[in-house]
Amino acid sequence: MNAPNPESLKLVKDYSRPAIAFAVARVPGTDRVFLGSSDFKVSEADLSAAKFEPKGLYGHASYVTTLALSGSTLVSGGYDGKLVWWDTTMNKEIRTEAAHAKWIRQVVASPDGSRFASVADDMVCKVWDATTGKLVRELRGHGEKTPQNFPSMLYAVAYSADGKYLATADKTAKVIVWDAKAGEQLKKVEAPTMYTWDQVQRLHSIGGARSLAFSPDGQHLAVGGTGKIGNIDHLEAKARVEVFDWQAEKQVAEFVADKSQGLVNKLLYAPDGSWLLGVGGASEGFVAFFDVKSKKVLKQEKVGMHVHDLSIGPKFDSLLLAGHNKLTAYKLG
Amino acid sequence: MFHKRCTPGEHAVGRRAFLGASTAFAATAFADMTGLNVLGSSALAADLKKTQKRVILLWLAGGCSQLETWDPKPGASTGGPFRAIPTDVTGVHISELMPQMAQRMKHVCVMRGLDTKNGDHGSAAKLMMRGRRDEAGLKYPDLGAVVAREMGRADSKVPDYVTFYTQTEGRSFAPGDSGFLGARYAPMELTTNNIPEYIRKLDGISDLDHKQRGELRDLLGKQFTKGRQSETMGSHNEAYERVRGIMASESLFDISKEPQKVRDRYGPTQFGQQALIARRLVEAGVPFVRVARAWWDSHGQNFETHQEMVPELDHVMAALIDDLKDRGLLNDVMIVTLSEFGRTPGINSSLGRDHFASAWSSTITGCGIKGGSVYGKTDDKGNKVVAEQVDGGSLFATIYAALGINPEKNYYVGSRPIPLVNPGVQAVEEVLL
């Protein structure tokens, strides 16, 4: 599939709502979307309806921070440590798993739809059978504490396009690549600029590696976060992406989005691998495209909300962003 | 109305001595600004030696969130992601980030109704260290200086007021300050090391040399004062004695003197280590120690900041309570947690909370305070105080009263009487023993 030109990005519509949307999943080719939000609910909405009115489907006991849709199965994860399987055809719960001991940060579906992988602040990546919900394996390798002896956090997980590899990323910006089938740790890369520990002024930390994406050919791994922060009261550094030849454990590119401040919360490669899309923010948000070949920032667009998640259409012609009290729809191509 | 608040039945003689001495003090206050001569009364001094009240202030600089600690609002749109957990006090819930404190709330009084009306770091920090705003031309002493003055002993060999503030952010906003009480009650400030610098004898001077120099100074002093009545000379001698005591107190700051088990209890963090030193200091008779833990100013990523910092507070505070309890000190040592303000119920787009002084929380534990009590109520979203509102003055009056210090007591600047708290400000009787 050819990649659309990032310059074609065009705002279609804003959808306001009185909650922070941390996660969005769109049924491919439709206007049906699922949202995970700060109201502790997973909601469903129809973007084509005259009035945008998300309807609550079910609840978690805390923020719903991640959604993964595979076929008709939606899996939601929250800061309550639970994963909920939901049948989107019948609109009913399939199962709930007390999956993690701490906050669940992300759940993703394997490319073939047979597995879900979740990461949480218990620093474990768990792989689940998508159909039975059975725990297939646990991937342990991230430290529970930061070097300064404070609790670490495991923010991101991504599958390679062929499903052979899994990558996980933590607060100290350590990234581990795993053999998805065998559960073995294969390689490790680090992006230490993304983690700021302030020993002198404030004695706490901010940042971390927040997002991951394998290139379509699986050779490269992109890691998103932010730069070193001077005043860690705020997310005041520029958005940052580092790309690694993960087999060689070597950084091959680094992007600093000079007009985009804050965290890169989600990353996505173009279908042909020509560009990378990063979304995120600080007090306001951004969409940024990075040219893989020239290693330059292609396009940056401000978004009127801190962006937490994205959903891209199957033809890469539509982009839906979810964030602080809002959804925003764009066209591409 | 002043009520002395200590454990019932405790030091009845002390009360009489205190009242008698206080009456005498009131009559001669103009002549004796420091009041420390009162403590020279042998009955009272001996009594205070046994029952002297001391304070450890855990200063949560930058503004700790009440919603992520003492006043959670789970499920409210302002509540954030954390759950509330039950405690050992029926009906009292605190943030899930504080599981250790949840088992120790029977010792703690939570003041949930603070409305201090100042959301500026600098002036709010001064306000919450002094309990009131300075007047033009009159700088009030902070809590530490007042406690040092009231609880310090003339014969003490240890400092009266020690403050740790190692991080640089916010340190200049609220340095320990004795205000009009003067340098005698100014704190020993530790900002770079946990052990005070510059109190060691110079390497070039031998112990014998040091001792002989002191003896020579004493001899010359005695000859000078022969036939003279000099308060200045007395003060001079006292200062030298105190310096000698403080030089000898260096080991109090050395936690390697503690068994490993005790050090493990407090944990490896700087905050934990300084809290352990604070315990060593109060145990040795230091009336007031502030341990500042900066910096809580979570405009961005409030929940992750508190996820990182609150468990440390939970652990350190619980360790301190257990340790003081085990040593039989919890009735005589008060632990206060205080910030310059709290944080907004509203969550900003950086998942942060901003400055908020209209409805926030503090805690008082130990000496003279009703453990397991909660005073103050905020609305469902934490936006305002709906019952039992308290300002900085009332909070300080409550602390003073619990320590057995009359909040209405006057100091004198020249001939002007200055009460410890502003006229009309009352202690919260409901939380006093």
Side-chain angles (χ1 to χ4, degrees), chain A residues 62-63 79 103 105 121 149-150 153 155 171 200-205 210 233-234 282-283 306 308 324, chain B residues 80-82 167-169 268 270 293-295 297 299-301 304-305 307-309 347-351:
Chain A
S62 185
Y63 285 0
Y79 284 169
W103 287 6
R105 300 287 185 160
D121 289 350
N149 212 45
F150 287 89
M153 297 159 194
Y155 290 121
K171 178 157 193 171
V200 176
Q201 290 176 281
R202 293 169 173 85
L203 204 68
H204 70 93
S205 69
R210 302 288 181 134
D233 296 348
H234 306 267
S283 56
H306 183 124
H308 291 288
H324 198 81
Chain B
F82 299 108
Q167 296 77 58
T168 57
E169 193 63 23
Q270 185 184 72
R293 173 51 165 114
W295 178 250
D297 198 18
H299 294 286
Q301 303 287 291
E304 297 197 356
T305 299
Q307 204 178 18
E308 191 166 68
M309 295 173 77
I347 298 162
N348 68 31
S349 56
S350 290
L351 295 180

Side-chain angles (χ1 to χ4, degrees), chain B residues 357-393:
Chain B
S358 303
W360 58 289
S361 305
S362 160
T363 66
I364 314 174
T365 304
C367 169
I369 284 290
K370 211 179 273 176
S373 58
V374 174
Y375 190 79
K377 187 174 186 321
T378 52
D379 66 10
D380 289 347
K381 292 187 176 180
N383 284 315
K384 60 182 179 185
V385 179
V386 293
E388 300 171 338
Q389 183 174 307
V390 167
D391 61 12

Side-chain angles (χ1 to χ4, degrees), chain B residues 16-54:
Chain B
R16 285 194 294 276
F18 184 90
L19 289 172
S22 297
T23 309
F25 171 67
T28 58
F30 182 69
D32 173 21
M33 271 186 53
T34 69
L36 277 175
N37 289 347
V38 172
L39 302 183
S41 150
S42 59
L44 185 57
D47 191 53
L48 281 180
K49 202 164 196 170
K50 280 190 290 184
T51 62
Q52 181 207 22
K53 306 304 171 193
R54 286 141 283 174

Side-chain angles (χ1 to χ4, degrees), chain B residues 120-133:
Chain B
D120 167 71
H121 282 299
S123 51
K126 285 184 178 64
L127 173 69
M128 297 316 298
M129 283 294 290
R130 295 170 194 178
R132 54 186 160 180
R133 281 193 301 182

